[in-house]
Amino acid sequence: MKNLFAGEGTGSILRNESALLPEFAPAELLHRESQLQEIARALKPLTAASKPTNLFIYGPTGTGKTSGVRHVFRQLDEYSNKVACIYVNCWEYSSKQAVLSKLAEFFQEPLPRRGLATDEVFQRVMQRARYEGKSAAVALDEADRLFSRDGESLLYELARAREMFGVSCGLLVMTNNYGLAASLDDRARSSLSLRPLEFPQYTPQQLKDIVRERAKLAFAPSACPEDVVALCAGHGARMKGDARIAINALLEAARNAESAGKSKIDLS
């Protein structure tokens, strides 16, 4: 029997498949300039160990929240070595203890196998940050997951880190759920003073711009016609302006075309 992997496709369409993958970080994030500037303004005081503005970043899936924060973090890392930029996906780190362990890992603060109480872990992390002369920008993505457990106390403690340990911490609470901030208790809400920042749905034209730019990076010349770009963008627009869905549709179309031995994507 012929090997199932032999002779599959020509490999002539995709020249950079990574440009269509979810973790790809584009050099420019189209149609999110104002949001990126707002995040940068909120975090810039950290470069001088001053008090930042905490943000409540909300919007539907696929509207650039994660990409936007990661983009700002990369630029902040380039601009200053005085800020620790720590991104935490709360689906993976869904408890206060887990998030603190992530922060300890970032600062290379060893934790004993026997475990420590959360307040001791927090104290060790803050002491390490202060020793290194760093402020911290902490992004909590999919924060709903954390809030369903013991996340409020973590937010409260991070918000008071400057007062308690002399370490300035900026918080970016990221979610699809606009009502999440309202669920905070009064003490946490007062300490955090979260400023809302919306990432709205992309319009069909904006999605077309995004898909077109990714296509330029991903495909060989003339391998992705404009009607394919429009079709994928339209699919994302029907799914609540989701750029991830639009880009994934383009990836699937490319793989199907290559599997069929075609030299470009078509609508057939």
Side-chain angles (χ1 to χ4, degrees), residues 126-144:
M126 291 297 105
Q127 287 174 342
R128 175 58 68 94
R130 184 174 61 190
Y131 173 78
E132 294 183 2
K134 288 183 177 288
S135 302
V138 181
L140 299 172
D141 204 352
E142 305 287 358
D144 319 59

Side-chain angles (χ1 to χ4, degrees), residues 50-153:
S50 297
K51 181 178 174 59
T53 299
N54 297 319
L55 295 179
F56 178 73
I57 299 174
Y58 67 96
T61 300
T63 54
K65 299 185 299 297
T66 301
S67 296
V69 167
R70 287 186 178 278
H71 183 88
V72 174
F73 273 11
R74 287 193 300 273
Q75 295 211 356
L76 182 52
D77 276 333
E78 294 173 4
Y79 178 77
S80 173
N81 63 0
K82 296 296 185 181
V83 185
C85 296
I86 309 167
Y87 170 86
V88 183
N89 186 316
C90 296
W91 276 101
E92 299 177 44
Y93 301 89
S94 58
S95 68
K96 179 180 180 180
Q97 182 72 43
V99 173
L100 289 174
S101 296
K102 176 72 171 177
L103 268 60
E105 177 185 339
F106 181 91
F107 282 106
Q108 299 182 332
E109 176 63 29
L111 300 178
R113 290 186 177 182
R114 64 176 174 82
L116 295 172
T118 56
D119 58 345
E120 187 171 349
V121 176
F122 185 73
Q123 183 177 18
R124 286 192 176 198
V125 169
M126 291 297 105
Q127 287 174 342
R128 175 58 68 94
R130 184 174 61 190
Y131 173 78
E132 294 183 2
K134 288 183 177 288
S135 302
V138 181
L140 299 172
D141 204 352
E142 305 287 358
D144 319 59
R145 182 77 167 173
L146 184 63
F147 277 44
S148 65
R149 304 181 71 175
D150 50 4
E152 286 195 27
S153 63

Side-chain angles (χ1 to χ4, degrees), residues 35 65 70 72 94 106 134 138 148 156 168 205 214 224-225 231 246-247 256 264:
Q35 286 86 354
K65 299 185 299 297
R70 287 186 178 278
V72 174
S94 58
F106 181 91
K134 288 183 177 288
V138 181
S148 65
Y156 177 74
S168 295
Q205 182 57 52
R214 292 296 184 93
C224 182
L231 185 64
I247 294 168
N256 289 338
K264 68 175 185 177

Side-chain angles (χ1 to χ4, degrees), residues 20-33:
L20 302 179
L21 298 180
E23 62 270 21
F24 180 74
E28 300 292 335
L29 205 62
L30 297 180
H31 304 299
R32 288 295 179 254
E33 292 82 2

Side-chain angles (χ1 to χ4, degrees), residues 30-48:
L30 297 180
H31 304 299
R32 288 295 179 254
E33 292 82 2
S34 64
Q35 286 86 354
L36 299 182
Q37 290 172 2
E38 183 69 18
I39 297 170
R41 280 194 295 268
L43 297 181
K44 189 169 184 181
L46 292 173
T47 63

Side-chain angles (χ1 to χ4, degrees), residues 8 13 22 30 43 59 62 91 143 146 175 193-194 204 221 224-225 229 233 244:
E8 272 293 309
I13 296 178
L30 297 180
L43 297 181
W91 276 101
L146 184 63
T175 179
S193 300
L194 291 170
C224 182
V229 169
R244 291 182 190 172

